Every structure is written in C-alpha cells, then in structure tokens.
C-alpha cells in the first residue's frame, strides 16, 4: 500500500470538498475559530473554487491561543511542539485523533519500509530517556520512530560518543538483510557517516530516515545531493529519505522520494507556497512561505496552516511520485514570521 498515488488535479478535486466540510466542522465546534473566520470575511456558505482560496491560520496562533474543536472532557492527549523561547504549540487530540495520528504516520512510513518491523540503528544515545518526566522534542522524535523498528541499537554511548563495537555488533547480526536507520540530519552526518567512512562499515542494506533541516550542514558545504552521494559512495547506503512534518498537523509526514528529487505529499495532503507580501500562491520554482494542507485534523482547526518555513515547489506530477515536488529552504526571518501572525492578530 502507498499513500503517494494522486496526481495534482485529482488531489485538488478530492481535497477541496473535504476541506470545506472540515472548515465548517471547526466553525461549528470551535467558537474561537468561528470568530477568526468571521473577522476575516469567511462567512458560512461562502463558495470556494480551489484549495488555495480556503482560510488558512498561521501556525504561531497555536503558541498563543487554545484552538480546539472538542470539549474539555474529550481531550485525550495534548501534544506540545519544541520551542527555544518558551513558546510552544498545544495541540488537543481526542482518542479518535490520536489513533488517526499513529495510523497515518505508519501508513506513510510503510511506503518505504514495508510492513515488517526492521532491525533499527538509532543515531543517538539512550541517555535521552534518562529522565522520563522531561522529554525533549528530540527524545520524543526518537521514541516515536522506535515504533517502526526492533532490536534497537544506539550508535552513541551515554556520553554521546560513537560506540563502534555496538554498531559492528548490530551489523554483524543484521547487516545482511534490510535494516532501518533513524537520526536527525546533522547528527547522522556528524556521527554515522564519519564512523562508517573511517571504519569502512557496509551500510548497503540500510534504509535511512532522517529529518531536522540542513542549516548546520550548509556551513560544511554539504547539501542534500552531496549528503546522498557521499553516503552511497563511501558506505553503500543508497535508500535515503528525508522527511518534513510538525506537531501542529497530526499524522502528516512529507516524505522524500527514492531519487532525492524532493519531498512529496501523501494523498490526504498538499502544500501551497505563498508570496510573503501578497499571500498569493507563487509559480513553480519561486520561493515563498509554505502552507501545509491536511484532511486529518478534526479535533482542532489545523487543516490549513501557514508555517514559518520557506520552501519552493520544483515541479508538479513530474517526479517519481505524483503531485507537488518541493523542498524546505529554512526558517523565515523572525520579522517575517511575526508578520504572518500579525495578519490574524486583530481577529484573534
């Protein structure tokens, strides 16, 4: 089963009525969201011709306002985002939403991992979990991905030093069959690539899932193409998939295609890149602010969100998977990010 099947025209035709219904659902169940829509001129019964016309919210709103479409007694779980300034999003899920989150994340990952749990090498340290009362975004990310593997082996010891014996032992047990590797992009390069290159480790049966942005690697003149080339040439690792997602859109993971040519949207989702001055969609090849679209959020109005990331659509229906093929270029400058939120400040 794959979730990457819909061409752009069919995707738009399927998503538009579902997103309109979701917008009305959240209007009816969230007084705060209803006030936002009213202040922005999106009245009940308004007609929409395309997904890009629907009302989006800046993701920053979830850092300053409680926006949910369920009663307090229905809240099963509250997810929080990472935040270096004390600002975190709080996303409210009921039991159905929590189940959907895990189910759709699993379905997305099965596209590249298959249905079996694979032996798993983690480019991190088990010391992450020393304090169960205080999980960082990093530890939560690692713990979430561990669900897709078995015989979990950590590349770093508890002092965050590479543990060559542990990696060699793992490859001795599992290196002759497909195995899963997970790590954040910078750590994967800093620790896994360096260790494998230096000690000539064979990673040719590995499937690497990584995420976390490229800013730190840019200082080392390593972009996505160079990352993939060096791993392939010096470790044999060729099955590599970057991904992009956020806590504010449950269950949605944009996944890099097998050829490394960009990120793709699962069938229940899409991306729109907007001009930060006019907020109109920009043409293919033009950088702008990324809006993420998903039909999954039902317990809170997170189906149409303007992120604080810059991105660019490279092509449409021209890649290894159908739909928009895009890349994330980095975070918006602080002023621009605030500008996105200020658009809605009066309405909130």
């Amino acid at each position: 089963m794959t979730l990457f099947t819909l061409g752009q025209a069919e995707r738009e035709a399927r998503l538009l009525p579902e997103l309109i219904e979701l917008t009305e659902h959240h209007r009816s169940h969230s007084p705060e969201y209803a006030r936002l829509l009213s202040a922005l001129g999106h009245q009940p019964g308004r007609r929409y011709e395309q997904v890009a016309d629907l009302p989006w919210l800046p993701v920053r709103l979830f850092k300053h306002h409680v926006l949910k479409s369920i009663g307090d007694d229905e809240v099963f779980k509250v997810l929080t985002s990472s935040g270096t300034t004390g600002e975190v999003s709080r996303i409210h899920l009921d039991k159905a939403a929590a189940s959907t989150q895990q189910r759709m994340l699993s379905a997305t990952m099965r596209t590249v991992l298959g249905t079996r749990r694979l032996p798993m090498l983690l480019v991190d340290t088990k010391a992450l979990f020393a304090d169960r009362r205080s999980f960082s975004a990093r530890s939560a990310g690692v713990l979430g991905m561990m669900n897709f593997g078995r015989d979990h082996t950590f590349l770093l010891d508890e002092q965050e030093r590479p543990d060559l014996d542990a990696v060699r032992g793992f490859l001795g047990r599992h290196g002759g069959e497909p195995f899963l590797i997970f790590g954040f992009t910078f750590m994967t390069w800093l620790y896994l690539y360096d260790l494998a290159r230096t000690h000539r480790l064979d990673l040719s049966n590995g499937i690497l899932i990584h995420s976390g942005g490229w800013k730190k690697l840019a200082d080392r003149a390593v972009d996505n193409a160079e990352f993939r080339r060096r791993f392939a040439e010096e470790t044999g690792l060729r099955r590599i998939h970057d991904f992009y997602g956020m806590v504010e859109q449950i269950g949605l993971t944009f996944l890099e295609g097998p050829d490394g040519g960009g990120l793709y949207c699962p069938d229940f989702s899409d991306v729109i890149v907007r001009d930060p001055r006019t907020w109109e969609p920009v043409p293919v090849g033009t950088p702008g602010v990324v809006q993420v679209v998903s039909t999954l959020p039902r317990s809170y109005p997170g189906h149409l969100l303007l992120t604080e990331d810059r991105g660019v659509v490279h092509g449409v229906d021209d890649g290894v998977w159908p739909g928009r093929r895009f890349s994330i270029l980095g975070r918006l400058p602080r002023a621009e990010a605030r500008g996105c939120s200020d658009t809605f400040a009066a309405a909130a």
Side-chain angles (χ1 to χ4, degrees):
M1 182 185 102
T2 177
L3 287 179
F4 299 87
T5 65
L6 296 180
Q8 195 58 37
E10 185 179 359
R11 182 186 306 268
E12 178 90 13
R14 284 198 191 183
L15 291 183
L16 182 59
E18 292 187 46
L19 292 166
I20 291 173
E21 187 276 329
L22 262 180
T23 300
E24 295 309 314
H25 166 80
H26 292 305
R27 188 200 303 272
S28 299
H29 291 81
S30 170
E32 296 81 9
Y33 182 68
R35 286 197 294 271
L36 283 167
L37 294 187
S38 179
L40 294 165
H42 289 268
Q43 304 300 334
R46 176 169 168 169
R47 294 181 61 84
Y48 299 98
E49 300 299 327
Q50 55 186 356
V51 171
D53 296 336
L54 287 158
W56 45 263
L57 300 182
V59 71
R60 181 171 287 271
L61 281 184
F62 288 92
K63 298 182 187 297
H64 301 287
H65 301 276
V66 174
L67 293 169
K68 57 185 176 67
S69 303
I70 53 177
D72 292 344
D73 60 335
E74 296 176 274
V75 175
F76 174 70
K77 181 186 295 186
V78 179
L79 304 179
T80 56
S81 64
S82 59
T84 56
T85 62
E87 295 183 340
V88 296
S89 295
R90 289 177 172 80
I91 304 303
H92 295 77
L93 308 182
D94 57 12
K95 286 187 177 180
S99 174
T100 296
Q101 175 196 22
Q102 189 58 46
R103 187 174 71 253
M104 299 314 292
L105 176 60
S106 297
T108 301
M109 288 301 174
R110 279 199 298 270
T111 302
V112 295
L113 298 179
T115 57
R116 282 194 306 134
R117 283 194 178 190
L118 299 177
M120 188 172 189
L121 180 64
L122 294 132
V123 187
D124 221 307
T125 169
K126 66 176 61 175
L128 274 179
F129 310 117
D131 185 356
R132 291 273 176 177
R133 297 167 300 174
S134 177
F135 268 23
S136 66
R138 175 176 149 196
S139 58
V142 170
L143 191 64
M145 285 300 299
M146 287 176 70
N147 290 323
F148 300 105
R150 59 180 175 85
D151 192 17
H152 304 100
T153 300
F154 288 87
L155 184 140
L156 304 179
D157 65 20
E158 296 197 4
Q159 285 72 48
E160 298 202 15
R161 299 172 303 199
D163 188 340
L164 179 60
D165 288 341
V167 177
R168 279 180 166 159
F170 176 88
L171 292 174
R173 297 190 302 276
H174 304 297
E177 59 181 341
F179 60 90
L180 171 59
I181 308 169
F182 172 73
F184 295 99
T185 305
F186 179 71
M187 294 179 66
T188 299
W189 180 260
L190 185 65
Y191 295 115
L192 177 64
Y193 169 74
D194 189 63
L195 191 72
R197 177 183 59 83
T198 301
H199 296 281
R200 299 184 178 278
L201 302 179
D202 180 7
L203 304 179
S204 58
N205 282 320
I207 305 169
L208 170 61
I209 305 291
H210 70 101
S211 186
W214 296 90
K215 185 177 180 181
K216 290 182 180 179
L217 287 183
D219 298 337
R220 300 173 179 239
V222 177
D223 60 10
N224 192 22
E226 182 71 359
F227 182 94
R228 297 174 68 92
R229 184 186 69 80
R230 298 267 288 275
F231 260 111
E233 290 182 0
E234 301 194 53
T235 75
L237 180 62
R238 289 178 169 79
R239 298 176 65 181
I240 298 174
H241 299 273
D242 192 4
F243 73 89
Y244 170 68
M246 63 196 67
V247 71
E248 292 87 355
Q249 276 204 335
I250 57 161
L252 174 54
T253 302
F254 299 100
L255 197 60
E256 184 180 37
D259 64 348
L263 297 161
Y264 291 85
C265 309
D267 291 345
F268 56 86
S269 67
D270 206 355
V271 296
I272 299 166
V273 177
R274 294 186 180 274
D275 185 311
R277 294 158 300 183
T278 67
W279 302 120
E280 292 298 315
V282 299
V284 169
T286 303
V289 186
V290 176
Q291 178 192 339
V292 288
V293 174
S294 171
T295 59
L296 297 186
R298 201 163 184 88
S299 62
Y300 68 99
H303 54 311
L304 300 157
L305 297 181
L306 192 76
T307 73
E308 297 180 352
D309 293 317
R310 295 176 63 250
V312 60
V313 174
H314 301 297
V316 180
D317 294 336
D318 67 341
V320 292
W321 294 333
R324 289 192 172 106
R325 180 173 57 86
F326 71 102
S327 292
I328 299 298
L329 303 176
R331 300 288 283 178
L332 288 173
R334 186 72 170 175
E336 285 192 31
R338 286 198 178 278
C340 298
S341 188
D342 290 346
T343 304
F344 282 70

